[in-house]
Amino acid sequence: MHVKFCGFRTQDDIETAVQLGVDAIGLVFYPPSPRAVTLDEAQTLVGSIPAFVSVTALVVNMTDEDMLELARNLAFDIIQFHGDESAEDCKQLANAVNKRWIKALRINADTDTPQSINATIEAFAQAGASSILLDAYHEKKYGGTGDRFDWRLIPDTSPLPIILAGGLDATNVADAVDLPIYAVDVSGGIEHSKGKKDAAKMRAFMKAVKRDRWQH
């Protein structure tokens, strides 16, 4: 089980996450989010991330110009498209800056089925996505809601590796181990308030994941 911690705003929190053994650090470039960082802030934060821990830039409906500026001025590894971007939008933006990418799908129990989700994943796979992220749907938010969707909607087989997000924390991440997923992604579940990470919660989350790594 690979682990991404997302929504960092301080160097101390990143250093704690790295010491705990996370695989990826996520930085949010969506100004309405309480976890958003500026380009200047991100440059400082990335400077404290060692080799072999990947950096993900989370963007929401970003323009071509802003994506080019971000890629020119920040060393990151993967784009996480978390807005209304189509498969073609993602492909064009990622190709313009020569980055690998993942797409977040917001799962709505009222309209989605495993079959419809798989069809959407297939479209992003054809466009060149490296993985797909499944998060909870919210009418007015693009993510970071802390809500969990119905995991029974996760397809048993998928054209892309699945990253699970939405409402994860140390108390329930162990339940995700037997799901057909590649990784987990957490933000609110390791915070004591919006945008402020909690070292004890980060430690408990990784302990829960590692315990199940050993058992499996």
Side-chain angles (χ1 to χ4, degrees):
M1 181 78 71
H2 292 73
V3 179
K4 171 172 166 271
F5 282 179
C6 195
F8 285 91
R9 304 191 72 241
T10 73
Q11 205 162 343
D12 286 346
D13 286 342
I14 286 179
E15 289 173 1
T16 299
V18 169
Q19 289 167 3
L20 290 170
V22 297
D23 300 289
I25 296 292
L27 301 177
V28 177
F29 297 94
Y30 178 54
S33 171
R35 303 179 179 102
V37 291
T38 65
L39 185 52
D40 287 343
E41 290 170 337
Q43 288 171 333
T44 300
L45 295 175
V46 168
S48 66
I49 300 174
F52 309 131
V53 177
S54 67
V55 179
T56 300
L58 186 155
V59 303
V60 176
N61 303 331
M62 184 172 272
T63 65
D64 294 16
E65 293 77 13
D66 286 344
M67 179 63 73
L68 288 166
E69 182 184 11
L70 186 64
R72 277 196 299 262
N73 293 285
L74 187 71
F76 65 93
D77 303 294
I78 297 171
I79 306 167
Q80 179 176 325
F81 292 105
H82 222 292
D84 304 310
E85 305 92 354
S86 68
E88 189 60 30
D89 292 335
C90 295
K91 179 180 179 180
Q92 290 182 359
L93 280 166
N95 286 351
V97 294
N98 197 31
K99 297 288 184 183
R100 294 193 303 145
W101 58 278
I102 61 181
K103 178 69 173 87
L105 303 182
R106 292 173 289 152
I107 305 305
N108 186 340
D110 293 333
T111 56
D112 289 317
T113 66
Q115 293 75 24
S116 68
I117 293 167
N118 237 8
T120 304
I121 295 173
E122 177 62 35
F124 285 100
Q126 293 294 326
S130 295
S131 293
I132 207 80
L133 184 146
L134 303 184
D135 199 355
Y137 174 82
H138 190 284
E139 185 180 1
K140 297 180 179 178
K141 296 181 180 178
Y142 285 106
T145 63
D147 296 331
R148 175 172 158 177
F149 69 91
D150 186 349
W151 290 352
R152 291 174 297 182
L153 293 172
I154 299 172
D156 290 330
T157 59
S158 167
L160 289 172
I162 291 175
I163 303 162
L164 178 65
L168 291 169
D169 58 30
T171 68
N172 62 23
V173 68
D175 298 334
V177 167
D178 293 322
L179 296 172
I181 61 172
Y182 166 77
V184 290
D185 186 349
V186 61
S187 187
I190 51 170
E191 293 178 338
H192 56 75
S193 60
K194 288 278 189 181
K196 296 181 179 179
K197 297 296 184 260
D198 184 306
K201 288 183 178 181
M202 286 194 279
R203 192 172 296 109
F205 191 95
M206 289 303 293
K207 186 177 180 180
V209 171
K210 288 177 180 178
R211 183 185 302 120
D212 283 291
R213 279 175 174 168
W214 297 329
Q215 290 174 351
H216 288 71

